[in-house]
């Protein structure tokens, strides 16, 4: 397959090698492969699995997710916005005395303070996650591979992008083959 | 003994039918939306659509004639509609409990039912919101409840529990919807990758947001999921507490009690689990989900129903005790009137359905009998409806002055509106079952032995616990020999 790709007559728009895609049968194999790729010093690479694999973050050498900080900002924004809104509306802009209670009393604000804190945190968690993952992104070179559809079913993949400074078609392929991949595929994409 | 195997000493059992492969899960769940719907689905869907027709007709008539077509009248101004509102919101709560609270407690069995339960939450809250929306009397002025400038240049009163309710329920709906969608993304990607037709590929493709199972994504995704679970847990407890504040902060005997928030939350979980069970039993039979939804899952749900049923039973008893202990004669009268007054039939229906029927689940044979479970789940749904009816109507119909005593009787439109919302609920639910993965595939796979990187498939090699590199896929997997050229 590889030799064919190297010598084939090019039809249509010019293509370039986008990434190398290795396929594995089990979670253990892809994890050990990830450890090797990590130790080889690659940076622009990823694993693709049907479900999150416990321990994969360490195998890939990833730092902890920073999403929590975004959510904390969301929570504080929600809390501040809720307090400002209620205090200004009921306590400043249009004061109404209800039940003989002071218009700007804090205890009765607690439920809404709580709910809006939660609401803003949830928005921050979901949209922060999308932002950090750069989603939605509907086209990606990995989708050029026909076998990749199995990544959401029962197969495990590891991709190394050609933009990686250490990427070398031959050496990288060798590394992946040595990592007990069942398939190693060169994935091309159209050149811009 | 490895960690992925159930611990026999703890009486653990496998969560998935033993011997299942990862692909079996994909196949079982995705198949539902890829093949023709079974006749059972069509029958249920036509019935549900009749319900929607009834709903549209009832509400249309109500908008034409006015709110008077309902039976709400002095002294019972909160009647069926608020009963239905509380009932539906309560049903929703089990969904969040299963998806968030059981997640935080690492109850892995939840993966078989969480998607279902979350969908149920969303549809139940939609049904719930219909009632206060109409109950305000002038639905076109509903925006007054939101803090947006209006023609009276007045702001909402943030000291009102009814306004807290607006914030609680709308936050709950929004957060549940996002939680549900986030959970769906990897599974929609599975459907996308399996789809043959252009329409399916486009629709699922757009919804999957380009999900590619990347571990760099999973990392943030799992963190987002955990944070959502962590904030949904206090949220779900707050929502029904706030709903109970609608009653508890008033000075009506029978409502003005501090037990209401926990009592309402327990009741919500109780009724929600019953509704999950009703719907799950139907879906399991119609779509043959026996590989994923095991008897063990159903049995655990029976235990939750038994526990929460006794919690509400305790609350019923405690209400009576406190009414007596308070020494307040109005409070005492309300409770005596509940149990022995004109609405005693409703009270004892409630006690019978909610406290007595779940007691059958003390017996293992009952917890494993599908017909028993189905009947009990329906009875609990009925009982919990009556609980809200009893709380609302019996507390209102005889208040402080005997001159303003009265009786409440529902009209036909009350009944048809209520049945109509059940139709709306099931229509949405059946569409969901048909077109979206109704079991969280990625999460179920994550609980299987194959998900463990230390998993070693039983093979003829014997005990090579560390030789995981060996090719030992099943027969259909490509054998190692012919794969990587240039090795």
């Amino acid at each position: 397959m590889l030799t064919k790709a190297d010598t084939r007559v090019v039809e249509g728009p010019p293509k370039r090698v986008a990434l190398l895609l290795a396929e594995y049968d089990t979670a253990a194999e892809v994890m050990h492969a990830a450890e090797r790729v990590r130790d080889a010093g690659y940076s622009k690479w990823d694993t693709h699995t049907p479900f999150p694999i416990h321990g994969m973050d360490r195998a890939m050498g990833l730092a902890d997710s920073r999403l929590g900080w975004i959510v904390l900002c969301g929570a504080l924004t929600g809390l501040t916005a809720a307090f400002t809104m209620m205090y200004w509306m009921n306590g400043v802009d249009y004061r109404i005395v209800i039940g003989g209670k002071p218009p700007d009393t804090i205890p009765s604000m607690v439920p809404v303070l709580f709910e809006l804190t939660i609401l803003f945190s949830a928005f921050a968690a979901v949209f922060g996650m999308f932002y950090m993952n750069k989603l939605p992104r509907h086209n990606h070179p990995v989708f050029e591979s026909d076998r990749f559809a199995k990544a959401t079913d029962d197969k495990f993949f590891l991709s190394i992008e050609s933009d990686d400074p250490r990427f070398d078609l031959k050496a990288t392929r060798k590394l992946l083959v040595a990592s007990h991949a069942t398939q190693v595929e060169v994935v091309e994409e159209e050149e811009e | 003994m490895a960690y992925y195997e159930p611990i026999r000493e703890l009486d653990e059992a496998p969560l998935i039918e033993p011997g299942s492969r990862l692909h079996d899960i994909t196949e079982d769940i995705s198949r539902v939306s890829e093949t023709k719907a079974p006749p059972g689905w069509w029958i249920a869907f036509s019935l549900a659509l009749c319900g929607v027709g009834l709903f549209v007709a009832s509400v249309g008539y109500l908008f034409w004639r006015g709110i008077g077509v309902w039976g709400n009248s002095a002294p019972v101004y909160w009647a069926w509609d608020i009963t239905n509102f509380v009932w539906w919101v309560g049903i929703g709560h089990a969904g969040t409990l299963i998806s968030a609270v059981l997640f935080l407690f690492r109850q892995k069995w939840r993966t078989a039912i969480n998607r279902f339960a979350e969908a149920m939450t969303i549809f139940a809250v939609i049904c719930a919101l219909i009632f206060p929306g109409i109950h305000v009397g002038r639905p076109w002025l509903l925006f007054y409840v939101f803090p947006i400038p209006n023609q009276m240049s007045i702001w909402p009163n943030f000291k009102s529990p009814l306004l807290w309710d607006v914030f609680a329920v709308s936050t709950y709906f929004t957060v549940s919807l996002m939680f549900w969608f986030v959970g769906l993304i990897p599974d929609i990607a599975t459907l996308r990758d399996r789809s043959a037709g252009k329409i399916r590929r486009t629709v699922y493709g757009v919804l999957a947001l380009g999900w590619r199972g990347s571990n760099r994504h999973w990392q943030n995704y799992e963190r987002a999921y955990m944070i959502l679970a962590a904030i949904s847990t206090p949220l779900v407890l707050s929502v029904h507490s706030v709903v109970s504040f609608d009653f508890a902060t008033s000075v009506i005997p029978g409502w003005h009690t501090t037990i209401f928030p926990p009592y309402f939350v327990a009741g919500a979980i109780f009724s929600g689990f019953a509704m999950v069970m009703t719907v799950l039993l139907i879906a399991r039979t119609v779509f043959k989900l026996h590989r994923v939804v095991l008897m063990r899952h159903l049995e655990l749900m029976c235990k939750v129903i038994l526990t929460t049923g006794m919690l509400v039973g305790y609350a019923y008893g405690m209400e009576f005790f406190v009414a007596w202990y308070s020494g307040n004669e109005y409070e005492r009268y309300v409770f005596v009137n509940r149990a022995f007054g004109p609405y005693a039939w409703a009270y004892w229906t409630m006690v019978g359905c909610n406290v007595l029927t779940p007691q059958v689940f003390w017996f293992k044979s009952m917890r494993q009998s599908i017909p028993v479970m189905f009947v009990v789940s329906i009875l609990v749904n009925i009982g919990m409806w009556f609980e809200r009816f009893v709380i609302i109507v019996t507390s209102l119909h005889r208040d402080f002055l005997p001159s303003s005593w009265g009786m409440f009787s529902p009209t036909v439109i009350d009944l048809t509106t209520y049945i109509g919302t059940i139709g709306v609920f099931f229509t949405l639910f059946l569409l969901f079952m048909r077109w979206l993965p109704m079991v969280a595939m990625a999460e179920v796979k994550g609980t299987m032995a194959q998900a463990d990187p230390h998993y070693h498939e039983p093979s003829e090699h014997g005990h090579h616990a560390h030789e995981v590199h060996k090719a030992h896929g099943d027969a259909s997997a490509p054998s190692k020999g012919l794969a990587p050229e240039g090795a």
Side-chain angles (χ1 to χ4, degrees):
Chain A
M1 196 198 305
L2 285 174
T3 42
K4 235 195 268 170
D6 292 338
T7 58
R8 113 183 126 195
V9 180
V10 178
E11 285 168 9
K15 293 196 167 186
R16 65 176 199 105
V17 173
L19 45 83
L20 271 172
L21 188 66
E23 183 182 334
Y24 304 86
D25 275 342
T26 68
E29 283 166 354
V30 74
M31 196 146 121
H32 290 297
E35 283 165 353
R36 286 186 184 211
V37 174
R38 172 198 67 194
D39 293 342
Y42 287 90
S43 54
K44 291 190 159 182
W45 63 289
D46 213 335
T47 53
H48 307 268
T49 54
F51 48 83
I53 296 174
H54 191 71
M56 185 58 103
D57 294 349
R58 207 170 51 185
M60 285 181 68
L62 299 181
D64 193 27
S65 170
R66 289 192 308 278
L67 185 65
W69 295 106
I70 297 181
V71 178
L72 179 65
C73 296
L76 293 175
T77 311
L79 187 68
T80 317
F83 181 79
T84 317
M85 174 182 77
M86 287 186 285
Y87 187 83
W88 181 74
M89 286 178 181
N90 278 183
V92 177
D93 187 51
Y94 200 129
R95 291 170 71 90
I96 306 178
V97 178
I98 289 159
K101 296 175 186 72
D104 48 5
T105 179
I106 290 176
S108 65
M109 291 182 184
V110 168
V112 177
L113 289 175
F114 175 77
E115 302 299 343
L116 288 187
T117 307
I118 297 282
L119 184 67
F120 278 60
S121 311
F123 277 126
V126 174
F127 292 101
M129 185 266 283
F130 288 161
Y131 168 75
M132 293 177 85
N133 288 348
K134 300 191 177 61
L135 289 176
R137 174 178 175 181
H138 287 95
N139 79 323
H140 190 278
V142 286
F143 292 125
E144 300 292 327
S145 162
D146 292 335
R147 307 188 60 86
F148 190 71
K150 286 290 221 179
T152 55
D153 181 6
D154 61 348
K155 296 291 181 215
F156 305 84
F157 291 84
L158 193 156
S159 65
I160 303 183
E161 291 179 25
S162 59
D163 298 346
D164 192 294
R166 285 179 181 267
F167 186 87
D168 172 80
L169 193 55
K170 239 180 188 163
T172 309
R173 192 167 68 205
K174 218 171 209 170
L175 173 75
L176 290 176
V177 169
S179 71
H180 303 272
T182 55
Q183 289 270 351
V184 179
E185 193 179 341
V186 179
V187 179
E188 295 179 321
E189 66 175 350
E190 281 175 20
E191 234 161 325
E192 324 261 301
Chain B
M1 182 60 79
Y3 120 91
Y4 52 81
E5 283 168 15
I7 305 167
R8 236 185 297 147
E9 287 76 5
L10 290 180
D11 212 17
E12 283 187 350
L15 295 167
I16 302 293
E17 196 176 274
S20 305
R21 296 168 308 155
L22 294 172
H23 182 65
D24 296 333
I25 304 299
T26 317
E27 199 59 41
D28 276 6
I29 310 303
S30 310
R31 195 182 53 206
V32 171
S33 76
E34 289 162 353
T35 50
K36 279 195 170 161
W41 187 86
W42 282 109
I43 296 168
F45 191 63
S46 352
L47 284 173
L49 272 187
C50 294
V52 175
L54 197 60
F55 173 76
V56 172
S58 316
V59 174
Y61 181 66
L62 182 142
F63 284 156
W64 182 255
R65 291 293 306 273
I67 220 93
V69 299
W70 277 349
N72 312 15
S73 182
V76 185
Y77 288 113
W78 281 15
W80 271 50
D81 46 350
I82 302 300
T83 303
N84 297 339
F85 163 71
V86 181
W87 188 71
W88 276 121
V89 172
I91 282 174
H93 280 46
T96 318
L97 185 95
I98 292 168
S99 59
V101 181
L102 297 186
F103 176 79
L104 295 182
F105 283 107
R106 300 286 184 270
Q107 295 295 306
K108 287 182 175 177
W109 61 275
R110 71 182 259 292
T111 55
I113 53 170
N114 73 326
R115 175 67 44 74
F116 249 88
E118 287 164 28
M120 187 192 72
T121 297
I122 290 160
F123 304 144
V125 176
I126 290 174
C127 290
L129 287 173
I130 291 168
F131 287 102
I134 299 173
H135 182 89
V136 295
R138 294 174 189 167
W140 56 95
L141 295 178
L142 200 56
F143 66 93
Y144 281 177
V145 303
F146 296 109
I148 43 178
N150 56 48
Q151 65 270 43
M152 303 187 299
S153 59
I154 196 172
W155 296 111
N157 167 25
F158 286 102
K159 285 175 216 59
S160 164
L162 297 177
L163 197 73
W164 303 344
D165 217 10
V166 170
F167 279 84
V169 178
S170 53
T171 298
Y172 183 50
F173 181 71
T174 316
V175 174
S176 301
L177 194 64
M178 289 196 292
F179 199 5
W180 188 57
F181 180 67
V182 166
L184 271 168
I185 294 170
D187 290 352
I188 293 178
T190 303
L191 290 186
R192 170 199 68 196
D193 290 342
R194 291 169 56 92
S195 31
K198 195 170 164 54
I199 299 176
R200 282 181 70 92
R201 209 167 51 228
T202 312
V203 174
Y204 288 129
V206 168
L207 288 175
L209 307 179
W211 182 259
R212 49 184 192 273
S214 151
N215 191 62
R216 289 175 197 272
H217 291 179
W218 277 123
Q219 190 193 26
N220 293 321
Y221 175 93
E222 282 196 286
R223 181 59 53 87
Y225 200 92
M226 193 179 73
I227 291 172
L228 284 174
I231 60 177
S232 299
T233 301
L235 175 65
V236 69
L237 299 181
S238 84
V239 173
H240 228 56
S241 300
V242 170
V243 170
S244 81
F245 290 163
D246 292 346
F247 302 94
T249 56
S250 69
V251 285
I252 304 288
W255 286 4
H256 190 62
T257 55
T258 49
I259 200 179
F260 260 33
Y263 162 36
F264 268 50
V265 171
I269 292 162
F270 181 50
S271 66
F273 261 84
M275 190 57 119
V276 177
M277 184 163 258
T278 311
V279 182
L280 188 66
L281 288 176
I282 298 172
R284 184 177 184 260
T285 315
V286 172
F287 290 111
K288 306 199 172 38
L289 296 174
H290 301 76
R291 189 198 301 278
V292 178
V293 184
L294 303 181
M295 185 52 80
R296 178 172 134 73
H297 298 119
L298 300 175
E299 206 184 324
L300 283 164
M301 291 175 71
C302 291
K303 288 182 183 172
V304 175
I305 289 178
L306 175 60
T307 312
T308 46
M310 288 193 297
L311 282 175
V312 295
Y314 170 79
Y316 299 157
M318 193 45 73
E319 274 190 317
F320 271 81
F321 170 75
V322 171
W324 166 77
Y325 191 67
S326 69
N328 180 316
E329 62 179 307
Y330 295 103
E331 189 78 14
R332 282 183 183 179
Y333 176 72
V334 161
F335 283 91
V336 171
N337 182 47
R338 255 184 209 180
F340 305 106
Y343 288 106
W345 59 274
Y347 183 81
W348 294 108
T349 309
M350 165 189 103
V351 172
C353 290
N354 291 349
V355 184
L356 299 182
T357 38
Q359 303 304 323
V360 300
F361 288 149
W362 284 106
F363 305 100
K364 195 177 172 87
S365 58
M366 298 284 131
R367 290 200 302 267
Q368 296 197 332
S369 155
I370 302 242
V372 170
M373 277 182 229
F374 192 72
V375 171
V376 170
S377 72
I378 299 279
L379 285 176
V380 169
N381 283 321
I382 295 172
M384 284 309 293
W385 189 88
F386 272 104
E387 179 192 302
R388 280 62 178 255
F389 180 83
V390 164
I391 291 173
I392 291 170
V393 173
T394 65
S395 305
L396 288 176
H397 89 116
R398 288 183 178 173
D399 63 5
F400 302 98
L401 288 175
S403 61
S404 61
W405 284 7
M407 288 293 285
F408 164 75
S409 50
T411 62
V412 177
I413 303 296
D414 267 319
L415 187 67
T416 53
T417 316
Y418 171 59
I419 296 173
T421 54
I422 297 178
V424 171
F425 175 80
F426 276 99
T427 304
L428 292 169
F429 211 96
L430 287 159
L431 288 173
F432 151 74
M433 286 205 265
R434 183 83 185 89
W435 299 113
L436 287 172
M438 63 176 136
V439 173
M441 290 185 271
E443 287 185 49
V444 169
K445 288 175 191 169
T447 64
M448 291 168 71
Q450 287 94 322
D452 183 0
H454 304 290
Y455 170 70
H456 176 61
E457 220 161 279
S459 65
E460 71 276 19
H461 302 303
H463 299 288
H464 290 277
H466 299 289
E467 284 289 298
V468 279
H469 297 308
K470 273 205 190 310
H472 43 223
D474 53 77
S476 66
S479 84
K480 238 173 106 66
L482 42 100
E485 313 90 297

